[in-house]
Amino acid sequence: MAAFDRVVIVFNPHSTGDAPTLARELRDDLAERHPDLPLELAPTQRAGHGRELAAAAARQGRPLVVSVSGDGGYNDVVNGLMDAGNPAAVAAVRGAGNANDHRRATKRRPLDAAVSHALLTGRTERFDLLRLTVTPAGGEPVVRYAHSYIGLGITPVVAVDLEQGGKGSWREILAVVRGFRRFRPFPVEFADGRRVEVDSLLYANIDRMAKVATLSQDGRPDDGEFELVLLPHHSKLRVLLTAVRSATIGLGPQPHATHHELTIRAPMPLQLDGELVELDADTHVAVDVVPGALRTVG
C-alpha cells in the first residue's frame, strides 16, 4: 500500500518570504514526478488557520500534509494532525522563512525526493512529539504539541532575537545584546517543592536551534525521550559564556527525561517551536514525550 494517497500543501500566501513560490514549485515538481498523485494547495487566511486546514485534511484517508513554512507554521500542521487523530496521516515540512530548526536538524534528502522514496517503498518514519499541558491557576488544562522544543528563559529569548536579527555578525551581536537586556530570571517551583530561580529551561526534541546553538550531544527526535537543558540563575556573564559554548563546542550531554513538571511563580512567556505563549503567574506546566506520534517522510 502507498504511504499516502494525496498531498495537501499548507502555506501562508501573504508570507514576506518565499513560501508561496516554494509551495507552487513543490506542487509542480510532484506533479511532474507523480502525475496520478492528487495535489492540493491550501493557503492560510489567518493566524492558526494552518492547524484547521491540517486537521480537516487529515481526518480521512492517508494524506501527506506538507507545511511550507518555518517552525511555527509546521507546529500548526502538527497540532492539526494530532487534532484529527488519524494514524494514517503523514506530515512534512519544506523550510521557508527564518526559523527552520526542525528541518535543519532532521533533513536527509530534498523533500520531493523524500516523497518519491516514500511512495516507492511505502515506508515512512516516526518522530516523537513533546506534549505540553498548561493549567492556569483555577483553570482548565490546555494541551498543545511541539515537534522541536519548548523553552522558558534566556535561551528561547535570544534564539528568537537571533532569527529576527538577520544574517551578519553585527546584527547577530545586536540581537544577543537585545535579548540579554530584556531578560530577567524567573522563579519556579518543581514537583518536589523546591523553589529556584532559573535562567533557562529547555525541553528539546532536537539537538540544535537558531542555526548555531548545539543543545545536546546525543539528542534525537526518535529516541523516546527529550533532553532537559536546565540552567539555574547565575550572573549574566556566565549565561553569556554558556551561550557562546552552545554556539561553538556545544553544551555536551544533557539529562534525558520522559516527563517533567513545574509551576511558574511569575508571569512569563513560553516558547513553543518558535511561537510565544504568554503564561500567568501560578500556571502549572507539564511536558511529556509522546514516542513515535509524528509520522513523516525523510
Side-chain angles (χ1 to χ4, degrees):
M1 181 181 294
F4 38 84
D5 55 19
R6 67 189 189 281
V7 177
V8 179
I9 302 171
V10 179
F11 69 101
N12 179 2
H14 305 297
S15 169
T16 56
D18 52 2
T21 299
L22 291 174
R24 290 189 291 269
E25 288 179 351
L26 177 61
R27 178 200 58 190
D28 295 344
D29 289 344
L30 292 177
E32 183 176 353
R33 286 174 177 245
H34 309 282
D36 296 328
L37 179 67
L39 301 166
E40 176 187 345
L41 289 178
T44 62
Q45 298 176 1
R46 59 188 178 277
H49 193 208
R51 180 172 180 172
E52 299 172 22
L53 291 173
R59 286 196 179 100
Q60 60 183 358
R62 304 188 314 279
L64 168 63
V65 185
V66 178
S67 178
V68 180
S69 68
D71 290 322
Y74 190 40
N75 180 276
D76 275 350
V77 165
V78 167
N79 276 273
L81 263 65
M82 297 302 291
D83 292 342
N86 178 4
V90 185
V93 59
R94 180 167 188 174
N98 285 328
N100 296 295
D101 292 327
H102 186 85
R103 180 63 177 159
R104 196 174 292 113
T106 61
K107 180 179 178 179
R108 289 171 45 197
R109 53 172 68 92
L111 183 58
D112 52 357
V115 170
S116 296
H117 182 265
L119 287 170
L120 178 64
T121 64
R123 297 177 182 174
T124 56
E125 299 182 4
R126 288 196 175 272
F127 288 159
D128 307 331
L129 289 177
L130 303 178
R131 182 174 61 224
L132 170 69
T133 305
V134 173
T135 309
E140 295 296 320
V142 176
V143 175
R144 288 187 64 180
Y145 294 87
H147 51 70
S148 295
Y149 53 80
I150 298 166
L152 304 99
I154 188 62
T155 301
V157 167
V158 171
V160 170
D161 285 338
L162 279 171
E163 295 290 1
Q164 295 176 346
K167 297 180 180 180
S169 59
W170 284 110
R171 289 184 180 180
E172 292 176 352
I173 290 171
L174 289 174
V176 171
V177 171
R178 184 168 59 246
F180 271 78
R181 286 182 61 186
R182 65 189 178 91
F183 169 73
R184 298 292 184 273
F186 58 95
V188 302
E189 182 175 331
F190 292 118
D192 60 7
R194 288 182 299 128
R195 291 195 178 202
V196 298
E197 285 199 330
V198 174
D199 283 331
S200 179
L201 178 58
L202 195 70
Y203 305 93
N205 195 39
I206 57 176
D207 62 355
R208 70 198 74 170
M209 67 186 298
K211 300 186 181 79
V212 296
T214 302
L215 302 173
S216 66
Q217 182 174 308
D218 54 356
R220 299 197 330 267
D222 60 354
D223 59 3
E225 300 175 310
F226 57 79
E227 282 63 59
L228 184 64
V229 186
L230 172 62
L231 302 178
H233 177 52
H234 291 289
S235 69
K236 287 194 174 182
L237 175 60
R238 184 164 176 178
V239 175
L240 178 59
L241 292 175
T242 300
V244 171
R245 180 184 175 194
S246 73
T248 53
I249 63 174
L251 296 181
Q254 299 295 322
H256 295 239
T258 58
H259 172 82
H260 190 261
E261 59 184 282
L262 54 82
T263 302
I264 65 168
R265 294 305 184 190
M268 63 170 303
L270 174 146
Q271 191 188 18
L272 187 78
D273 289 339
E275 299 298 306
L276 291 181
V277 179
E278 295 293 337
L279 301 180
D280 295 327
D282 301 322
T283 295
H284 185 266
V285 176
V287 176
D288 296 275
V289 69
V290 188
L294 180 64
R295 193 171 173 219
T296 186
V297 296

